[in-house]
Amino acid sequence: MTTSDWGDWLPRAIESADPDGVAVWYLGCNGFVLKGSDGTTLFVDPYLGTGDPPRTIRMIPVPFDPADVTDADAVFATHEHSDHVHGESQAPILESTGAPFVAPDAAMAAAREEQSWEERWALDAEQFREVVEGDVLEFGEFTVHVVEVNDPDAEHPVGYVFEHESGTVFHPGDSRPADSFGRLGREFDIDLGIVAFGTAGMIPDKRTREPNYTKWYNDEGEAVEAASALRVDRLLPSHWDMWKGLTADPTALHDHVDSFEHPHSLELVEIGDRVDV
């Protein structure tokens, strides 16, 4: 059961939006919604849980109840971690809209085997669409490329390049700089690049609950290294707002981008904000 702090205004705002090109909403953590000019609506890594207190403690509002979502053409997961594959956040969207769940094998196993989505919600097997690097998918006006990324904390992560006639958005999950990024930067003209950004902290171990040094996301140098290799026009840092002890100040990135050709600009957003591509 997920309870929103904000009521249903955000899903209603997304559903009523009529973008000229692509509108992108930040859901906090590493969740996003992309909506194109023909109404195609894609969710990526939406997470509406509160973590695992006192180990992981959510620091931002829960922006909507997934049961309030009535329009979705697909829900994407980048990897298997619980803030990226979370039945209570994602399965109700699939149930109410009939949208497919698009994910690599480890994330798919987390949904179907570990979390038993099909037993707990009214979902069809055809809604589960497993992908690998190199796959190309079509959803309405979007062409979606499944690409290689580098998340050392995940079993099998992937990234998604969302191409649209008005611009291209790249969501690499929680990836650090990757060997593939230079090639992706040459292959795609990335208008908006999302990079998970955070700091290090002492987070309780999942089993023993003893504090451990933890670094899950990119620091300032890694975030700009990734954006530079990808040749992104606009860098949008994500995930910095989420977990107590690992939050960061995205304005610190201004000093790190000044001497690089890419990114051209920082797109600093908070939960619930919309940007246009």
Side-chain angles (χ1 to χ4, degrees):
M1 181 69 180
T2 296
T3 302
S4 172
D5 297 313
W6 286 356
D8 68 349
W9 74 263
L10 185 56
R12 298 291 83 79
I14 294 170
E15 290 167 12
S16 64
D18 186 21
D20 290 331
V22 178
V24 179
W25 287 265
Y26 181 43
L27 306 180
C29 196
N30 215 350
F32 289 84
V33 179
L34 287 72
K35 185 174 185 179
S37 52
D38 76 348
T40 300
T41 304
L42 308 178
F43 286 73
V44 189
D45 286 348
Y47 177 67
L48 307 168
T50 56
D52 179 27
R55 178 173 181 263
T56 50
I57 302 172
R58 186 183 183 104
M59 296 295 289
I60 51 175
V62 176
F64 61 90
D65 183 330
D68 288 330
V69 176
T70 60
D71 189 10
D73 292 281
V75 176
F76 293 81
T78 58
H79 62 287
E80 73 281 0
H81 290 167
S82 58
D83 57 340
H84 298 258
V85 177
H86 185 246
E88 287 75 8
S89 298
Q90 297 155 7
I93 299 175
L94 307 181
E95 185 178 54
S96 64
T97 66
F101 178 67
V102 181
D105 53 3
M108 196 64 72
R112 305 187 76 177
E113 299 170 20
E114 298 167 25
Q115 300 181 25
S116 304
W117 288 12
E118 289 159 281
E119 297 176 16
R120 300 165 60 198
W121 290 276
L123 305 177
D124 296 328
E126 292 75 19
Q127 287 180 265
F128 294 90
R129 186 166 180 178
E130 187 174 309
V131 293
V132 297
E133 294 88 341
D135 285 351
V136 181
L137 315 174
E138 300 289 340
F139 288 97
E141 67 222 274
F142 290 94
T143 299
V144 185
H145 301 261
V146 185
V147 301
E148 177 186 354
V149 296
N150 169 36
D151 181 354
D153 300 312
E155 181 179 342
H156 181 194
V158 301
Y160 299 104
V161 178
F162 298 92
E163 285 191 305
H164 185 275
E165 64 181 8
S166 70
T168 298
V169 178
F170 180 41
H171 192 310
D174 294 349
S175 182
R176 314 281 177 82
D179 292 341
S180 61
F181 281 3
R183 173 180 55 80
L184 295 175
R186 294 187 296 271
E187 182 177 354
F188 300 103
D189 182 8
I190 302 173
D191 296 280
L192 184 69
I194 296 159
V195 174
F197 172 58
T199 188
M202 299 299 291
I203 303 298
D205 180 80
K206 183 180 291 187
R207 184 178 59 85
T208 68
R209 300 291 172 167
E210 291 297 320
N212 281 333
Y213 176 83
T214 301
K215 181 180 181 296
W216 284 333
Y217 315 117
N218 295 282
D219 61 21
E220 292 94 331
E222 290 168 325
V224 176
E225 178 185 345
S228 178
L230 290 162
R231 304 183 185 184
V232 304
D233 291 334
R234 299 151 69 189
L235 167 61
L236 193 161
S238 63
H239 231 319
W240 55 270
D241 53 2
M242 187 61 181
W243 301 126
K244 183 175 178 63
L246 296 179
T247 57
D249 179 2
T251 64
L253 290 167
H254 281 294
D255 290 336
H256 291 264
V257 303
D258 284 348
S259 63
F260 290 86
E261 180 181 359
H262 296 277
H264 297 320
S265 63
L266 280 176
E267 193 74 54
L268 300 184
V269 296
E270 296 177 328
I271 182 172
D273 285 351
R274 168 182 167 172
V275 298
D276 292 294
V277 179

